[in-house]
Each structure stands twice: as structure tokens, then as C-alpha cells.
């Protein structure tokens, strides 16, 4: 009887102990001490933008170290900005919101003709060097498409109307093979903000479209997140001068000069940590003359450089 | 306390027990359940907040990089069930928040996530409620670009917890109520049964054990229904034990008496049987069973028609019915004739009555009185012989004198006439026949005890052998052989040698007369030490005595011999002599198969034979009590 009583009391004590345990320390915050919050003022800085062919996060990650390098090398304040679309990018350059653009040759030619942007350096990429190519991709198991000619009557998804590797180079390639836009069942462009190269790959992978056009190298980038073994490269475009760094029309030439010097001073392997995230092996000086082939190609495709 | 508890009713105890168990469970388990549930709820609460914060951190990357304040504002305004959300840039500046126009200034620095601790939870107390503040870094790859801060009030969790505790309390209270009700019902069911059991035990005790044994006082009882029931059963058990002991003793006594009665009944030579009112047999003793040829175990259930021939069964059945109908004792003598002979029985039939005088059955006893009947007939015969002897003695005495005169005169006349004359011849004829008449008269006198005898100590065997020697030669001429088998112990008896010799010669002569073609006469003497007597057996292989004659052989003047060859007084005289010696003489014909012949008796001339047995006591005691089944003393 006494034993049972003791056990019962012990159980009650234990249960009470368990029930009362776990008191946490709380930090007091005076809820009545309030103030309006003003949006942070943007400090004056040289704005830098990566043509939004990827998501903002990817764009940020690829060029974050280049910006840090430029800050250190030039002593100038730099800030990366993230336009949502190619059009917004071009509009921001035209408005003067973007001082330095890392952009594709088509956008550059358009910016050059519309807003007076001027190329000062050219990217040397891991694949293709200073030039770059576009690719036409299909699903690996799509037996109906084995050549460019098979693409007639098919649905095509491209990155953007102004995407070099992602649309214009492949368009020129089809043009050379006598395939015009009206011969496709449907031509559509990736929707949304950024990440459009990936969206094209995913659209073809999912079977939503028969063919897709991307910039060469995209498959390696997206291979980190998606299984690209199900993708077959149907054709590659000839190489064209690749991506470039350009300054808006009114940017101080001294600043442009400083930036050009700093960028072209990057060398591998000492600057591997800066160049590699951006997919670059080097940055070389460039001038507008280097991009005449692009202008020619645009003319061939009937694209107007000035609206 | 313990005493008070023990006095409570069982129903109250049961209710108290159930209530205590459930209350203890509630008190023990409720804090545990609440604590565990609270921890689980808080963990889930934090996890949910962390998931929302992580999701917001991912979704805030692009707007944050693009400094798209509108989208950031949309992000912080999106979740509905959080207390607050705000997004800070890398420098900790508020880019968007859900507080409305004013932001709690101190909240911005109240929690801080860093690359080593990318998600940190801090409990914040704002004086009104407690809030879990979750700070999650907004990162691009590993590069932090800002922080999402999310506040989840614990009020909702507390409300859920309070609701849960209330629900648990209600469940426990409901359970307690239901269990108490069920316990009450259960207890009532049990206690009502216990009460019934107790009352039945009491009633049983009252009915069957109306008086409590004085040696077994009831101990006082205190407690609940079970205690009362236990007490009642203990008392009943004690009483039963006591009564059972008495019962066992009574049973043992009864068994002993039954065994004794059975022994007595079985030892009784009378045939005893017990039938019920339907005339069905219930029991019988050994003598009855032997008579009907059925074992004792098979008797119960039988009827007269199962045990006797139809006529006999009918007679017995009707007799029994008459006795049962009249209720009067019936007593009579009846003769039973079987293949073995005729026997007399004294039959008594008594109605067996119960305690209230009602007739329960019928007892029948049959006593064999054949011997008594024989004695009765023998007594009559003895009286007759005695009267006849007296008459013969008187007549003989009267005749003896004239015969003496005739004999004396005849002998005087013989002296007067020439010996070779015809007169002398006639006179010798008169003399011879007169002597014969005197012999007859002398026998008559002997028969009537008129003659005196003189008893002396004598050797029984010598007496027998003298008689045998006397006749052996003569008998051998008639092809009759006498074989003797005499006891070597030379028994001495107290008797009259001459008279006994006359008996032996008479028995031997009768045997020789039964052997017209010759044969064997066996003479056997035996000393019967246990009976203190000596026995002579004379057996022959002769023609035997038929059943009609055997009962008359000792009658005076009874003879089967032709006229002139016997007087019919020999065996009567022998009987008288033996009787005078306090002995017995018996006759059996044919000779029993068990008789040990001294010599082989197989042969074509052998008849059924006759055995005479004479038994004479060594002292002067009478052998009247020693008699066989075929004794025919005359």
C-alpha cells in the first residue's frame, strides 16, 4: 500500500516536472516604440547589368566577383542591377540606368544604333572562345527530327526575339537552309523573368515543343540541376563574335577606360575565381568593328536596328 | 483510516477506486500530454514558420536583387497567418514589412541570422504576447544578400494548446463520470449479486442448519458486502464441516451396522428377503440367494417371476399381496418338494412399516424345519415304541412262565421215554420250539428293557473284531467277504460288551442277508476326537433298501425277509441297545459315494448297498445333537 502510494506521488512529481519544464528566455521588444521605415536610399554608383538571360540569382552569382574586382581595381562604386527582360535592359541603357552592360552582340548592335552604346571589351568564354554559337536542340528520343529539314512544320521555342545564340543565330541557320519562320507550326519565346535559357531546355525536355534554340554552353549550366542526357543537339550555328562589355553613350570615357583596363587585365589562372563563375576565360579589348558580322546577319534576317 | 475504509460498502470502494485511478491518470498524464503536445505544437509552429521563412527567402532573391520593392511588399503581405514579416537587406535595412506605416524599431535588431547560423529563432515578448521570431538569410548560393524575418505568435499555438487541454480535461471528466457511472452500475450489479448470494447462504444455513453448533461460535464481522458474504460462507462452511463430520460418523456407524446386519442375515440359515410394495425384490440374504441360484448383487430389481417357477411365483406373489393388503403378519408352515426331496419351511411374512406407519415393503423369512419335523415324528415313534415295549415286556413276562413250565415238563417227559422213540422225537421238537419261543420272549424282554445290562470299560475295536471273527468264516461260505478298516487308536468306550456284540452281529447278519449273490461287507471304525465319540460303519454292496422301507427299518417287527427267516426285532433291539449307550444308529441307502471302501468294490454283483452308522460317545454324554441329514433312528 505504502509502496503504491510512493510510486503514485513520484509519478505525479515527474509528470508535474515534465509539464512545467521547458520555460524559454524571451527577448523583450517594446512594441509601442515605432517609426516609419523609409526605403533605403541608393548610393551613387556605376551600375552594371548582365543581360537577363538567366535568373537574377544566376546573374548575380556569375558576375558578383567581377563587380567586387572592379570595385577594388578601380576604386569606383559599382552596383549590379537586374533588369527583368532584354527590352527592359535596353530601355534602362537608353535611360542611363545601366552604365555598363554585359550583353550579347545583337542587343549590343541594337543599343549601339539606338542609344549609342559602345563596346570596349569582349568576353572570351570557356566554349567558343571570343565567339559563341547557338544550338538547335530536340529530345533525344524524338526520332521524327534528325535534320534541320525535319524541323519544318514543328513547334519551336526560342529564348527571346533579341537573343543571339538563343534565337537569331539559329534563325539565320534555318534561313540558310531555306527554312523560313512561316514554315514552322509555331514559334514561341520563353516567358517570365530571367532564366529563359533554362526555360527553353525544360520546355523541350518536357515535350511541350519539338525543337528549341539556346546559346551553346547552356546545357552545361543547366546540367547542374536537370538531367540533360535526354536532350540531343540537332545543329549548331556558325560562331559569331561573342558577348561583350559596353558602356552607355554618356558614361565618362575615363570610367570606361578604367573599367576596360581592369577587365582586360584579368588573367587566368590568377583570376580564376573571378572569371570562372562568369564562364569566362579572359576579357579582351574590342571595338564596334568586331561586330560587323552581326549587323550583317541582322540585315540578312531583315531585322531593323533602329525602330 | 484502514478500519474506516474496510467498513465502507463494496460499491463505495469500487467507485472510490475507479475515481482514484482515473483522477491519478488524469493528474499524471495530463501534464505529460500537455507538455509533449505543447512541445510538438511549438516544434510544428516553428517548423511551419521556418518553412514559410525559407520559402520567402528563396522567393525574395530576385526582387531583392532587382530591388523590386513592390514585389517585396507583395511577398511580405502574402502569408495570412503570421504575425509579421519583414525583409532586410544585407546591411539590415528594412526593405519591406507587414506592420503598416510604423515599424517596431527594436524589432529589427532583436534577432539576427548569419552564415554560421542561417536560420535563427528567437522568442520575443512584446508585453502582449510571445512571438517566435525566425530570421532566415536570403542567399544566392552561399552569398547572403538579405534576411527574411518572420514572426509567429504563440497565441494561436497557446489557444490550440488551451483548447487541447480543455478537450483533454473534458475527456477525462467525461471518462471519470462515465467510469463512475459504469463503476456504480457494475458495483451495484456485483453487490446485488453478493447480497443475493449472502441472503441465499443465510437462508440455506437457516433451512439446513437451523441450529448453530454451540462449539462453533460465529466470529463478529465488520466490513463490506464481500466481508459479510465471506463471513456468511465461513460460518456456513464451519457448520457444514461440523455437520459433515457428524454425517460421516453416522455414515460409518450406518455402514458398520449394515455390514453387521448383512453378516447376521447371511449367517442366518433362514431364507430372508425384502420386497417393496410393488413386490420387487430389494435385498436378500445369502441363504435365499443360494436357494434361488442368484447372486446377492443381482437380486435388487427382480420379481418372484424372475426367481421361481410360474406356479410358485404366482403363489408367492399373491401371498405377498395379501399380506400387504391386510397389513397383518402371516405365519405358516409349508412343504417344498424338489428333486432332492421334500423339505418343510416355517414361513413368516411381515409388512415393513415406515416412521409414520405406512407400509414400505414386505419381509419374508423361511426357516427350514425339516429336521424339527423329523424329530417330531421320531418323538412320536419313540413314544409308540416305548408303549409297545412296555406291552411286549408284560406279555413276555406272562408267557415266559408257562414256556418254562412247558420246557421243564417236556424235558421231564424226555427223561421218561426212550431216547430213540418217536415220543422222544416229538418231545425234542416241543423242546426246540419252546426254546425258540423263549428266545423270542427273551428278545421281547430285551426290547422292553426288561433285561438288565452291565456296562464296563471295553475296547471298541475288540468288540467289533470279536463279532467279525465270529461270522467271517460262515459268511465266506456264502461268498461274502468282510473287509475291515479299524482305527489304530484303540478307542475305549463305556458299554455292555455282550449287548454291543449282539448289535454288531445283527448289523453283519443283515448285511449278509442283503448279499444273496455274495459281495463285500466293509467294517470301519473311526475315533472322532473332536466330537469325543467313536463311530462304526457297516457297509455292504447288497441290494439296498428302497426309499419307502428305509424309514421303517427300525420299526419293531418290520422285515423284508420271508416269513420264518426274521422276527423284525433285530434292528429295533439294536436301536434300543445303542440308545441305551447314549449313541445313535443311522442308515443310508445307497451307500454314499464318499464312503471310503477298504477294498475295491467294482463288480457286476454290486448293488446300491446299505450303510449303517453307529456312533457311541466315549464318555456318557449324549450324541443327540450330532445327527446327519439321513438319520433314521427307530
Amino acid at each position: 500500500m505504502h509502496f503504491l502510494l510512493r510510486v503514485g506521488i513520484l509519478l505525479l512529481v515527474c509528470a508535474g516536472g515534465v509539464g512545467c519544464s521547458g520555460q524559454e528566455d524571451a527577448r523583450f521588444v517594446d512594441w509601442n516604440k515605432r517609426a516609419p521605415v523609409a526605403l533605403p536610399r541608393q548610393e551613387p554608383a556605376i551600375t552594371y547589368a548582365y543581360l537577363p538571360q538567366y535568373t537574377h540569382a544566376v546573374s548575380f552569382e556569375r558576375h558578383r566577383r567581377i563587380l567586387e574586382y572592379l570595385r577594388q581595381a578601380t576604386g569606383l562604386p559599382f552596383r549590379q542591377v537586374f533588369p527583368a527582360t532584354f527590352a527592359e535592359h535596353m530601355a534602362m541603357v537608353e535611360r542611363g540606368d545601366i552604365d555598363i552592360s554585359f550583353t550579347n552582340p545583337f542587343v549590343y548592335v541594337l543599343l549601339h544604333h539606338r542609344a549609342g552604346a559602345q563596346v570596349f571589351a569582349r568576353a572570351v568564354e570557356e566554349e567558343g572562345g571570343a565567339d559563341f554559337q547557338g544550338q538547335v536542340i530536340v529530345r533525344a528520343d524524338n526520332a521524327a527530327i534528325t535534320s534541320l529539314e525535319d524541323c519544318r512544320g514543328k513547334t519551336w521555342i526560342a529564348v527571346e526575339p533579341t537573343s543571339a545564340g538563343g534565337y537569331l543565330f539559329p534563325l539565320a541557320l534555318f534561313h540558310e537552309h531555306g527554312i523560313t519562320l512561316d514554315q514552322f507550326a509555331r514559334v514561341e519565346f520563353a516567358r517570365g523573368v530571367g532564366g529563359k535559357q533554362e526555360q527553353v531546355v525544360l520546355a523541350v525536355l518536357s515535350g511541350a515543343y519539338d525543337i528549341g534554340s539556346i546559346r551553346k554552353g547552356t546545357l552545361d549550366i543547366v546540367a547542374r540541376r536537370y538531367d540533360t542526357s535526354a536532350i540531343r543537339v540537332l545543329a549548331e550555328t556558325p560562331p559569331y563574335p561573342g558577348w561583350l562589355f559596353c558602356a552607355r553613350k554618356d558614361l565618362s570615357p575615363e570610367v570606361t577606360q578604367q573599367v576596360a583596363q581592369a577587365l582586360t587585365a584579368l588573367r587566368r589562372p590568377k583570376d580564376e575565381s573571378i572569371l570562372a563563375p562568369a564562364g569566362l576565360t579572359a576579357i579582351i579589348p574590342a571595338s564596334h568593328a568586331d561586330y560587323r558580322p552581326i549587323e550583317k546577319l541582322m540585315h540578312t534576317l531583315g531585322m531593323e536596328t533602329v525602330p | 483510516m484502514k478500519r474506516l475504509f474496510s467498513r465502507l460498502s463494496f460499491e463505495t470502494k469500487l467507485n472510490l477506486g475507479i475515481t482514484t485511478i482515473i483522477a491519478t491518470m488524469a493528474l499524471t498524464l495530463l501534464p505529460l500530454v500537455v507538455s509533449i503536445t505543447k512541445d510538438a505544437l511549438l516544434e510544428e509552429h516553428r517548423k511551419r514558420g521556418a518553412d514559410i521563412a525559407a520559402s520567402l527567402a528563396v522567393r525574395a532573391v530576385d526582387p531583392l536583387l532587382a530591388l523590386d520593392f513592390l514585389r517585396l511588399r507583395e511577398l511580405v503581405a502574402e502569408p495570412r497567418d503570421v504575425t509579421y514579416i519583414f525583409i532586410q537587406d544585407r546591411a539590415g535595412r528594412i526593405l519591406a514589412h507587414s506592420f503598416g506605416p510604423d515599424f517596431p524599431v527594436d524589432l529589427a535588431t532583436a534577432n539576427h541570422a548569419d552564415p554560421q547560423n542561417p536560420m535563427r529563432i528567437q522568442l520575443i515578448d512584446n508585453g502582449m504576447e510571445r512571438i517566435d521570431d525566425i530570421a532566415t538569410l536570403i542567399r544566392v548560393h552561399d552569398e547572403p544578400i538579405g534576411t527574411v524575418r518572420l514572426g509567429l505568435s504563440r497565441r494561436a499555438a497557446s489557444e490550440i494548446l488551451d483548447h487541447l487541454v480543455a478537450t483533454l480535461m473534458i475527456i477525462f471528466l467525461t471518462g471519470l463520470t462515465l467510469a463512475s457511472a459504469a463503476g456504480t452500475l457494475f458495483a451495484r450489479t456485483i453487490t446485488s449479486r453478493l447480497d443475493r448470494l449472502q441472503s441465499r447462504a443465510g437462508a440455506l444455513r437457516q433451512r439446513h442448519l437451523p441450529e448453530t453448533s454451540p462449539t462453533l461460535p460465529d466470529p463478529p464481522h465488520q466490513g463490506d458486502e464481500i466481508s459479510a458474504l465471506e463471513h456468511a460462507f465461513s460460518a456456513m462452511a464451519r457448520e457444514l464441516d461440523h455437520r459433515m463430520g457428524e454425517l460421516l460418523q453416522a455414515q460409518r456407524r450406518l455402514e458398520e451396522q449394515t455390514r453387521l446386519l448383512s453378516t447376521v442375515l447371511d449367517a442366518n440359515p433362514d431364507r430372508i428377503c425384502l420386497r417393496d410394495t410393488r413386490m420387487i425384490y430389494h435385498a436378500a440374504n445369502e441363504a435365499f440367494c443360494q436357494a434361488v441360484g442368484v447372486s446377492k448383487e443381482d437380486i435388487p430389481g427382480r420379481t418372484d417371476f424372475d426367481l421361481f417357477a410360474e406356479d410358485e411365483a404366482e403363489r408367492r406373489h399373491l401371498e405377498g399381496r395379501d399380506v400387504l393388503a391386510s397389513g397383518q403378519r402371516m405365519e405358516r408352515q409349508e412343504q417344498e418338494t424338489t428333486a432332492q426331496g421334500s423339505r418343510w419351511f416355517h414361513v413368516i411374512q411381515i409388512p415393513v412399516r415406515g416412521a409414520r406407519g405406512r407400509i414400505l415393503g414386505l419381509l419374508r423369512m423361511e426357516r427350514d424345519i425339516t429336521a424339527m419335523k423329523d424329530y417330531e415324528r421320531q418323538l412320536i415313534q419313540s413314544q409308540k415304541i416305548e408303549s409297545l415295549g412296555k406291552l411286549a415286556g408284560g406279555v413276555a413276562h406272562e408267557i415266559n412262565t408257562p414256556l418254562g413250565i412247558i420246557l421243564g415238563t417236556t424235558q421231564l417227559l424226555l427223561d421218561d421215554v426212550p431216547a430213540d422213540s418217536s415220543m422222544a422225537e416229538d418231545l425234542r421238537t416241543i423242546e426246540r420250539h419252546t426254546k425258540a419261543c423263549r428266545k423270542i420272549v427273551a428278545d421281547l424282554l430285551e426290547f422292553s428293557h426288561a433285561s438288565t445290562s452291565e456296562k464296563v470299560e471295553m475296547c471298541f475295536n475288540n468288540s467289533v473284531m470279536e463279532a467279525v471273527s465270529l461270522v467271517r468264516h460262515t459268511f465266506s461260505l456264502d461268498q461274502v467277504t468282510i473287509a475291515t478298516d479299524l482305527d489304530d487308536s484303540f478307542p475305549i468306550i463305556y458299554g455292555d460288551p455282550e449287548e454291543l456284540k449282539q448289535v454288531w452281529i445283527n448289523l453283519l447278519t443283515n448285511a449278509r442277508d442283503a448279499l444273496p449273490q455274495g459281495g463285500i461287507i466293509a467294517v470301519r471304525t473311526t475315533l472322532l476326537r473332536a466330537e469325543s465319540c467313536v463311530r462304526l460303519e457297516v457297509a455292504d454292496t447288497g441290494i439296498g433298501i428302497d426309499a419307502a422301507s428305509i424309514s421303517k427299518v427300525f420299526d419293531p417287527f418290520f422285515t423284508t425277509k420271508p416269513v420264518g427267516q426274521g422276527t423284525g426285532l433285530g434292528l429295533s433291539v439294536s436301536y434300543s441297545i445303542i440308545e441305551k449307550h447314549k449313541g445313535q444308529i443311522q442308515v443310508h441307502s445307497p451307500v454314499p459315494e464318499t464312503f471310503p471302501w477298504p477294498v475295491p468294490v467294482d463288480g457286476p454283483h454290486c448293488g446300491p448297498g446299505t450303510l449303517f452308522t453307529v456312533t457311541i460317545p466315549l464318555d456318557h454324554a449324549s450324541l443327540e445333537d450330532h445327527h446327519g441329514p439321513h438319520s433314521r433312528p427307530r
Side-chain angles (χ1 to χ4, degrees):
Chain A
M1 185 66 183
H2 291 292
F3 174 73
L4 289 175
L5 194 65
R6 284 178 196 165
V7 170
I9 291 170
L10 191 64
L11 278 173
L12 281 173
V13 170
C14 290
V18 171
C20 299
S21 64
Q23 293 295 328
E24 300 169 83
D25 291 332
R27 181 167 181 172
F28 179 74
V29 173
D30 188 352
W31 220 245
N32 297 317
K33 187 179 169 186
R34 293 181 179 233
V37 174
L39 289 175
R41 181 186 298 275
Q42 294 294 337
E43 295 298 327
I46 298 166
T47 54
Y48 177 99
Y50 181 4
L51 187 69
Q53 61 173 346
Y54 302 110
T55 62
H56 291 344
V58 172
S59 300
F60 174 80
E61 179 61 20
R62 285 174 75 102
H63 286 255
R64 175 165 62 90
R65 287 185 174 78
I66 289 175
L67 260 79
E68 287 172 2
Y69 166 70
L70 285 176
R71 287 185 197 109
Q72 289 177 356
T74 62
L76 297 170
F78 281 87
R79 187 174 75 248
Q80 190 175 4
V81 294
F82 299 89
T85 63
F86 282 22
E88 188 185 356
H89 187 106
M90 287 192 289
M92 287 175 72
V93 173
E94 287 175 24
R95 286 201 306 269
D97 291 341
I98 297 172
D99 296 324
I100 294 174
S101 292
F102 182 63
T103 180
N104 73 23
F106 278 100
V107 172
Y108 163 67
V109 170
L110 290 173
L111 285 174
H112 177 75
H113 287 282
R114 293 177 187 177
Q118 192 64 45
V119 62
F120 60 87
R122 181 175 166 188
V124 180
E125 298 185 49
E126 290 171 346
E127 292 186 13
D131 298 328
F132 78 109
Q133 297 169 269
Q135 289 178 327
V136 178
I137 58 172
V138 295
R139 275 187 64 90
D141 57 359
N142 191 343
I145 303 173
T146 56
S147 65
L148 286 176
E149 282 70 25
D150 295 336
C151 295
R152 283 193 182 88
K154 301 297 188 297
T155 55
W156 175 17
I157 182 164
V159 178
E160 280 208 14
T162 52
S163 172
Y167 176 60
L168 295 174
F169 291 174
L171 183 62
L173 185 64
F174 283 125
H175 196 270
E176 285 172 11
H177 282 78
I179 304 166
T180 56
L181 272 176
D182 56 0
Q183 290 179 329
F184 289 96
R186 198 167 75 244
V187 179
E188 291 182 7
F189 297 96
R191 297 185 185 88
V193 179
K196 295 190 174 183
Q197 296 279 356
E198 293 99 317
Q199 286 187 32
V200 170
V201 175
L202 290 176
V204 174
L205 262 179
S206 67
Y209 295 88
D210 298 321
I211 61 169
S213 55
I214 54 171
R215 172 200 164 94
K216 186 178 181 182
T218 298
L219 287 177
D220 296 332
I221 294 168
V222 301
R224 296 167 197 161
R225 285 185 286 173
Y226 310 111
D227 179 15
T228 55
S229 63
I231 292 291
R232 173 159 48 90
V233 177
L234 184 67
E236 286 185 356
T237 66
Y240 291 95
W243 283 56
L244 57 102
F245 293 91
C246 67
R248 67 178 171 89
K249 179 184 176 185
D250 297 329
L251 186 65
S252 163
E254 290 79 17
V255 172
T256 306
Q257 185 64 30
Q258 277 185 297
V259 172
Q261 282 181 353
L263 289 176
T264 54
L266 289 168
R267 289 289 181 274
R268 298 179 86 166
K270 73 178 178 63
D271 297 317
E272 178 79 20
S273 61
I274 299 168
L275 293 171
L280 305 176
T281 56
I283 297 169
I284 57 174
S287 65
H288 184 73
D290 296 333
Y291 290 88
R292 296 293 180 200
I294 300 297
E295 284 180 332
K296 187 182 173 185
L297 177 65
M298 290 174 73
H299 287 304
T300 303
L301 293 174
M303 295 172 65
E304 296 297 331
T305 53
V306 180
Chain B
M1 182 71 181
K2 194 175 176 183
R3 206 163 181 179
L4 179 67
F5 182 76
S6 67
R7 287 188 179 183
L8 293 175
S9 73
F10 181 64
E11 183 179 339
T12 310
K13 281 180 190 170
L14 208 59
N15 277 329
L16 276 176
I18 291 172
T19 308
T20 306
I21 288 168
I22 294 182
T24 307
M25 277 180 63
L27 289 172
T28 308
L29 294 179
L30 202 58
L32 270 173
V33 171
V34 168
S35 173
I36 292 167
T37 310
K38 183 182 170 186
D39 289 347
L41 270 174
L42 286 178
E43 186 62 32
E44 189 60 30
H45 180 72
R46 291 192 191 109
K47 195 175 170 186
R48 189 172 67 87
D51 288 344
I52 295 171
S55 170
L56 284 172
V58 171
R59 291 163 63 196
V61 169
D62 280 358
L64 186 56
L65 286 172
L67 290 178
D68 187 341
F69 296 110
L70 184 61
R71 285 177 60 200
L72 286 176
R73 184 174 286 273
E74 287 171 357
L75 272 182
V76 298
E78 195 175 312
R80 292 172 182 271
D81 52 352
V82 297
T83 306
Y84 60 79
I85 300 174
F86 62 93
I87 295 173
Q88 295 171 291
D89 65 6
R90 189 192 308 225
R93 291 175 299 189
I94 310 296
L95 301 181
H97 64 84
S98 60
F99 279 98
D102 297 330
F103 183 86
V105 179
D106 295 339
L107 183 62
T109 55
N111 193 8
H112 179 68
D114 54 45
Q116 282 74 38
N117 194 7
M119 179 177 286
R120 183 169 181 274
I121 298 174
Q122 172 66 52
L123 181 62
I124 287 174
D125 184 358
N126 64 5
M128 295 172 289
E129 59 182 339
R130 293 162 82 89
I131 299 167
D132 279 314
D133 185 280
I134 301 160
T136 305
L137 279 184
I138 303 170
R139 290 184 295 182
V140 177
H141 295 280
D142 291 332
E143 182 67 20
I145 61 171
T147 307
V148 169
R149 293 275 299 280
L150 182 142
L152 280 176
S153 174
R154 285 196 176 178
R155 186 179 293 157
S158 296
E159 283 173 359
I160 293 171
L161 195 64
D162 291 345
H163 181 69
L164 184 73
V165 171
T167 307
L168 284 173
M169 287 297 289
I170 289 169
I171 289 171
F172 273 121
L173 284 173
T174 309
L176 189 63
T177 309
L178 288 175
S180 295
T184 304
L185 195 65
F186 178 62
R188 280 189 184 167
T189 307
I190 291 178
T191 51
S192 65
R193 289 180 180 176
L194 288 177
D195 288 342
R196 282 204 298 275
L197 210 56
Q198 187 186 353
S199 62
R200 283 178 188 173
L204 197 68
R205 200 177 160 208
Q206 285 290 323
R207 190 158 66 246
H208 293 288
L209 306 169
E211 292 176 6
T212 306
S213 173
T215 58
L216 299 169
D218 286 352
H221 79 86
Q222 291 177 338
D224 55 14
E225 295 88 335
I226 291 179
S227 173
L229 183 64
E230 187 183 0
H231 173 267
F233 268 101
S234 297
M236 194 168 74
R238 282 196 306 276
E239 285 292 333
L240 282 175
D241 192 42
H242 180 73
R243 305 287 171 145
M244 191 61 80
E246 291 180 344
L247 206 60
L248 284 172
Q249 281 187 353
Q251 186 185 2
R252 277 197 290 272
R253 281 198 298 272
L254 198 63
E255 282 174 356
E256 285 173 8
Q257 287 178 358
T258 304
R259 216 165 23 245
L260 188 64
L261 187 64
S262 179
T263 306
V264 168
L265 286 176
D266 287 342
N268 197 322
D270 297 350
R271 300 174 183 175
I272 302 171
C273 61
L274 179 67
R275 287 173 286 181
D276 62 13
T277 52
R278 295 175 299 161
M279 302 303 290
I280 294 172
Y281 279 82
H282 275 223
N285 73 339
E286 198 64 41
F288 181 89
C289 294
Q290 283 181 1
V292 298
V294 175
S295 68
K296 275 179 79 174
E297 292 73 25
D298 293 334
I299 285 293
R302 301 289 186 100
T303 64
D304 287 320
F305 296 94
D306 299 326
L307 301 172
F308 302 99
E310 190 172 355
D311 294 345
E312 174 69 8
E314 184 73 20
R315 188 177 61 76
R316 283 176 175 257
H317 186 79
L318 292 175
E319 275 181 13
R321 283 285 178 207
D322 290 344
V323 173
L324 287 174
S326 66
Q328 298 298 314
R329 169 193 177 100
M330 189 276 278
E331 196 168 347
R332 67 180 183 81
Q333 292 182 353
E334 67 181 28
Q335 190 174 23
E336 180 183 295
T337 305
T338 62
Q340 283 75 34
S342 177
R343 302 192 72 75
W344 281 92
F345 287 93
H346 184 80
V347 179
I348 301 173
Q349 297 201 77
I350 306 168
V352 179
R353 296 180 184 276
R356 295 179 182 179
R358 193 165 64 89
I359 294 175
L360 303 176
L362 180 66
L363 183 69
R364 180 181 172 115
M365 293 180 288
E366 301 171 8
R367 174 166 292 176
D368 190 343
I369 55 167
T370 308
M372 199 175 78
K373 279 279 186 186
D374 285 346
Y375 281 129
E376 185 180 287
R377 196 165 54 247
Q378 285 173 27
L379 188 61
I380 293 167
Q381 190 67 19
S382 295
Q383 290 295 324
K384 192 165 71 180
I385 291 171
E386 191 176 346
S387 301
L388 192 61
K390 284 178 181 174
L391 177 65
V395 171
H397 191 72
E398 290 301 324
I399 290 172
N400 207 25
T401 302
L403 283 178
I405 295 169
I406 292 167
L407 183 60
T409 305
T410 304
Q411 286 171 344
L412 286 175
L413 287 173
L414 274 173
D415 291 338
D416 297 336
V417 297
D420 54 350
S421 63
S422 60
M423 181 65 76
E425 185 64 28
D426 293 338
L427 286 171
R428 278 195 291 274
T429 301
I430 292 169
E431 184 187 23
R432 190 171 62 250
H433 286 281
T434 305
K435 282 182 177 176
C437 288
R438 279 176 58 105
K439 175 72 169 64
I440 292 168
V441 171
D443 284 346
L444 275 174
L445 282 173
E446 178 62 29
F447 174 73
S448 64
H449 307 284
S451 64
T452 56
S453 63
E454 191 177 350
K455 292 180 182 175
V456 296
E457 282 189 350
M458 53 175 283
C459 177
F460 186 71
N461 281 352
N462 285 347
S463 169
V464 172
M465 280 311 294
E466 281 177 17
V468 171
S469 302
L470 199 64
V471 298
R472 177 172 271 161
H473 177 68
T474 312
F475 284 10
S476 64
L477 297 177
D478 298 328
Q479 305 299 316
V480 174
T481 305
I482 299 175
T484 57
D485 178 15
L486 305 183
D487 197 315
D488 294 336
S489 51
F490 304 107
I492 302 298
I493 62 168
Y494 185 74
D496 186 332
E498 291 303 320
E499 284 184 345
L500 288 177
K501 199 190 301 180
Q502 183 183 344
V503 173
W504 312 149
I505 288 171
N506 182 255
L507 291 177
L508 289 168
T509 306
N510 282 346
R512 193 272 317 271
D513 292 342
L515 293 166
Q517 305 298 321
I520 297 169
I521 297 172
V523 177
R524 191 162 172 266
T525 62
T526 312
L527 174 62
L528 303 174
R529 295 180 189 279
E531 289 84 358
S532 295
C533 60
V534 65
R535 176 185 293 161
L536 169 74
E537 290 166 302
V538 179
D540 63 65
T541 57
I543 57 175
I545 305 170
D546 57 62
S549 303
I550 198 165
S551 61
K552 302 174 184 174
V553 293
F554 293 106
D555 288 352
F557 308 112
F558 176 80
T559 180
T560 56
K561 297 173 185 172
V563 177
Q565 288 189 10
T567 59
L569 284 171
L571 282 174
S572 293
V573 172
S574 298
Y575 182 85
S576 299
I577 292 168
I578 297 303
E579 196 175 43
K580 219 159 55 178
H581 283 78
K582 308 295 183 187
Q584 290 180 350
I585 181 166
Q586 295 170 322
V587 60
H588 293 85
S589 181
V591 178
E593 292 181 0
T594 55
F595 181 77
W597 290 88
V599 294
V601 294
D602 297 335
H605 56 278
C606 293
T610 304
L611 170 66
F612 282 88
T613 305
V614 177
T615 308
I616 295 173
L618 292 173
D619 53 14
H620 303 284
S622 170
L623 285 181
E624 283 180 354
D625 295 336
H626 303 277
H627 58 271
H630 299 289
S631 61
R632 293 290 186 270
R634 293 289 185 273

